[in-house]
Every structure is written in structure tokens, then in C-alpha cells.
Amino acid sequence: MAKILKIYPENPQENFINEAVKVLENGGVIIYPSDTIYTIGCDIYNHKAMERLAQIKGIKLDKHKFSIICNDLSHLSEFTKPIETATFRFLKAHLPGAFTFILEANRNLPTSYKGHKTVGIRVPDHVVPQLIVEKLGHPIVSTTIHADDEILEYSTDPELIAEKYDKLVDLVIDSGYGDNTASTIVDLTSGEPEILRQGKGIL
């Protein structure tokens, strides 16, 4: 059964953040809040955890398009090819925020990203995932909570989310009701922003 931790952004308890980090370090899969919808994630460097994440999504790991969650832009050079100054300024102007930016990947991506030529980068404007990444020392991955119906109620209510994913994940972080609009996906691989999916973020 998944443990539930109530961590509110107004007063995120350090011991609870540390507990979430420990779950990730031990190969666990967690559900956590963001500035958009609740998402499922794990340690980007834990291959077995990534396999679990893919299984939860019902896909093969080599077919995944999991986004990389950073707490700032300092991790970009670890995963992406060199970015032009204008593109970096554009990213800096819109992050943290409700965007997923698609960038060209370099060869340093973890083995779970083998063969990926591009990668989605997220810096959520939410203190909980920012603190988790900061404490962990490197990014985590993110994938949306899968909806089985059109009501989507459980994608905003953490108690319903915990009930649905109770036997699939190790930890659910309850930060109150989430949004029901996903991030805006913007492709920056050509140098010019191209919106692939309009979501919460407005350019």
C-alpha cells in the first residue's frame, strides 16, 4: 500500500521531503504535485524504477516520453546539446512554469533514454518537486496520471489518486487539490518555439 504524506507548499516539512527523497533513492515510484496536474515519477538514474513507471503507463520502456523534472536550468547541459543564448534566455523567461520544453538530447542521457534524440524538460513552479530534486541532487522523471474516463476527477483529488494507485506506487504526496490542465509542450529543437500542445502555460 502506498504511504500518503501531506506536504503543503506554504510550509513544506523538511523531514517529509527527506522521506520522499529516501523512497526515490530506494527505487520507489511516487506521485507528487506540480504547477499543473499530479504526476507519477521516479529517480531518473534508477533503471528498474523507470521500468516500473513504464509498466504503470502500460508502455514499453523504450517507447516512453517521460519528461525530466529539474529544480532550475543548471541540469540542462547534462542532458541536452549546447543551447544558443537566445534559446536559454527564452527558457529562463518562462521557467519555472507550466511548460514542457522539447530540446535536442545529448549522449549523456541515462540508459533508460537510449536512442532518444530529444528530451522534454520541466521546471515546475511548485516548491515540493523543486525541493525533492534539490535534496535528491539530480532530476526525477515525470509522466501524467493516466485517465480511464472523461471525468478526470481523480487527477485533481489526491485522496482519489491515492486510492486508484494504492498498489502501484510507493508514496503519494498530498498537497491539496491539483489542477486538471497539463503543461504546454513547446518544441525548441528548430530554434523557434513551436507549440505541440496548448496547456496551462501561456507564451
Side-chain angles (χ1 to χ4, degrees):
M1 294 178 62
K3 183 172 183 178
I4 300 174
L5 286 180
K6 289 185 179 291
I7 306 178
Y8 293 104
E10 303 81 16
N11 182 32
Q13 307 94 315
E14 186 176 6
N15 60 317
F16 283 178
I17 296 293
N18 289 338
E19 187 171 344
V21 169
K22 183 63 69 176
V23 170
L24 292 168
E25 288 176 338
N26 291 333
V29 174
I30 71 172
I31 291 177
Y32 57 94
S34 73
D35 51 354
T36 56
I37 57 179
Y38 272 87
T39 56
I40 314 174
C42 66
D43 185 339
I44 192 172
Y45 291 112
N46 191 305
H47 189 74
K48 286 188 176 180
M50 293 283 286
E51 287 180 331
R52 277 185 64 193
L53 201 58
Q55 188 175 21
I56 290 170
K57 290 291 286 186
I59 60 173
K60 292 184 178 180
L61 184 57
D62 60 357
K63 302 294 184 185
H64 82 81
K65 293 184 179 179
F66 301 151
S67 299
I68 296 176
I69 302 295
C70 305
N71 62 325
D72 55 37
L73 294 175
S74 62
H75 293 287
L76 278 184
S77 60
E78 294 177 35
F79 307 114
T80 67
K81 289 183 177 180
I83 297 172
E84 294 182 2
T85 302
T87 301
F88 185 80
R89 286 175 179 165
F90 180 84
L91 290 168
K92 201 169 182 181
H94 293 89
L95 294 174
F99 296 94
T100 300
F101 289 109
I102 308 298
L103 297 164
E104 288 188 88
N106 63 26
R107 296 182 179 180
N108 298 326
L109 282 171
T111 55
S112 302
Y113 283 81
K114 185 178 180 181
H116 285 226
K117 295 181 179 179
T118 61
V119 65
I121 301 291
R122 282 269 282 133
V123 183
D125 189 14
H126 196 293
V127 68
V128 171
Q130 287 182 2
L131 286 173
I132 289 172
V133 171
E134 182 182 337
K135 289 277 187 180
L136 184 64
H138 54 259
I140 55 179
V141 297
S142 168
T143 181
T144 56
I145 288 183
H146 179 64
D148 296 324
D149 52 48
E150 296 180 0
I151 298 174
L152 301 182
E153 185 180 8
Y154 56 76
S155 68
T156 62
D157 185 337
E159 290 187 6
L160 294 179
I161 292 169
E163 184 179 319
K164 178 177 174 61
Y165 288 91
D166 182 49
K167 293 180 173 62
L168 298 174
V169 303
D170 303 288
L171 178 69
V172 176
I173 296 175
D174 179 352
S175 288
Y177 277 88
D179 206 319
N180 62 358
T181 305
S183 65
T184 296
I185 300 177
V186 183
D187 189 340
L188 293 177
T189 57
S190 68
E192 291 295 323
E194 178 187 355
I195 296 177
L196 303 182
R197 180 186 71 193
Q198 183 62 59
K200 185 178 178 181
I202 304 298
L203 290 181

